[in-house]
Every structure is written in structure tokens, then in C-alpha cells.
Amino acid sequence: WDELGVDMIIVDEAAAFKNLHKPQPREDGVPKFMGGGGEGSDRAWQLDFRAAAVRKNTGGAGVVLLTATPAKNSPLEYFSLLSYVDGEAWARLGITDSAMFISRYLRIESKTVLDTDLSTVTREVVVGFLNIPELREAIYRFAEFRTAEEVGLKLPQTRPDTIKVPMSAEQQEVQANGLAV
């Protein structure tokens, strides 16, 4: 890759590469509503290396990302995506890793939530944002947002329908008695 001397990389559906930096466990585990924790995806790391090589070849430019869903699951997705475009974008703000990004821009509180088995647990959850003007400025420095209408896309008409499915006798008993399935 390095020997090719690539001076521009354009990635469509860039949201497929958004898991470069994922939330790490804190006091009560990985905060809810930020996507899953763990290491970044192999695909994201491969793009990170290629984007860094392109920026090196061009003096810091040459990475273009296109997506209709830049941050659907977690605000950390912006941290990852902007890192591809400019590897120092966050460092210039004093943010060197995902934990610092979380501390600077996300309000996290302990709340009682449902776990995957429908039991209640106390977990840290993202309940809001901090330093919104600074975050907005950082994102808008590198990103441009357009509506479907602005780019000439016609979206299908939405038609909400409620479909009621009758419960079996066993399901009704479970619901009435609060029994575990």
C-alpha cells in the first residue's frame, strides 16, 4: 500500500468503518447507549493505516468519507471518522483517546436499566452531551451535512401501520404472572 503512493482515498458508506475507537469499560462496565465495547474492527484499523499513508503522501489531505449515517449508534463514531480525515483533529483539542472524548463531550450517569435478560441492573448510561459548541465546531470543520431533499433524493412516503398479533395462551400466562420465558 505504501509503495503505491496513493494521494486520495474516497470511502463510500464510511459508516462501515466507524468502529475504530470503541467505548472501554468504566466503573460500572461499558456505558449503555454507546455501542459495544472492545477493540476496533479489523476493517476500521485497515482504513486507519491507509488513511494515515494517504495523509502522509499529501501533507495531511486526501481522505474523503461519504455516509448517510455518520453516527447512528454512538457519538464515538465521530471520534473515529474524523480521525481518518485528520489524524490530529482531536489531539489539537487536547483529546488523545476515546476516554478523553467521552469525558469531554458526554454526560454519563448511573441509572437502572434493563439488561439483555430483562433483569434490572445499575449501569452508566449516556444521558446527554457536554461542550456542545466545541464538539459541533470540531465536527463541522471536517463534515458537511445535507438532507435528502438538498441532494435531490426522493424518500418513500412513510406509512405507519400497527399490526396486532394475538398471544398464545402460554404467552398470556407468562405476561399475566410475570414469569421468565
Side-chain angles (χ1 to χ4, degrees):
W1 177 262
D2 292 335
E3 294 173 10
L4 291 174
V6 175
D7 60 3
M8 177 170 259
I9 184 170
I10 300 172
V11 180
D12 193 11
E13 300 298 343
F17 301 89
K18 65 189 175 203
N19 290 325
L20 180 62
H21 301 286
K22 297 180 78 175
Q24 299 302 311
R26 297 166 67 91
E27 294 80 17
D28 290 323
V30 175
K32 300 268 291 166
F33 315 119
M34 285 184 46
E39 299 298 316
S41 71
D42 290 343
R43 166 186 5 206
W45 283 108
Q46 287 296 320
L47 178 58
D48 187 48
F49 296 135
R50 286 173 170 79
V54 169
R55 291 191 315 267
K56 181 180 175 190
N57 289 341
T58 62
V63 179
V64 177
L65 306 178
L66 307 169
T67 183
T69 54
K72 191 164 93 171
N73 298 317
S74 168
L76 268 180
E77 294 167 8
Y78 281 121
F79 182 73
S80 295
L81 292 172
L82 291 188
S83 295
Y84 295 131
V85 176
D86 181 344
E88 300 298 315
W90 300 109
R92 281 193 293 279
L93 295 171
I95 301 169
T96 58
D97 59 32
S98 60
M100 291 179 80
F101 179 91
I102 290 168
S103 295
R104 183 106 153 231
Y105 298 119
L106 303 180
R107 195 174 79 202
I108 297 176
E109 296 177 4
S110 289
K111 298 279 186 184
T112 301
V113 297
L114 289 178
D115 207 359
T116 54
D117 64 359
L118 299 180
S119 64
T120 57
V121 295
T122 301
R123 294 279 302 274
E124 290 185 327
V125 299
V126 176
V127 296
F129 290 90
L130 304 167
N131 303 309
I132 292 174
E134 180 184 276
L135 178 60
R136 183 181 295 124
E137 184 179 322
I139 292 170
Y140 285 166
R141 179 172 183 200
F142 297 99
E144 183 173 324
F145 297 89
R146 296 285 178 250
T147 65
E149 183 179 294
E150 289 173 328
V151 295
L153 291 177
K154 290 190 178 219
L155 297 178
Q157 183 77 21
T158 59
R159 194 185 87 203
D161 289 324
T162 301
I163 301 171
K164 294 185 178 186
V165 178
M167 289 192 284
S168 68
E170 181 184 4
Q171 290 171 322
Q172 289 176 5
E173 182 182 340
V174 167
Q175 183 187 34
N177 296 321
L179 301 174
V181 179

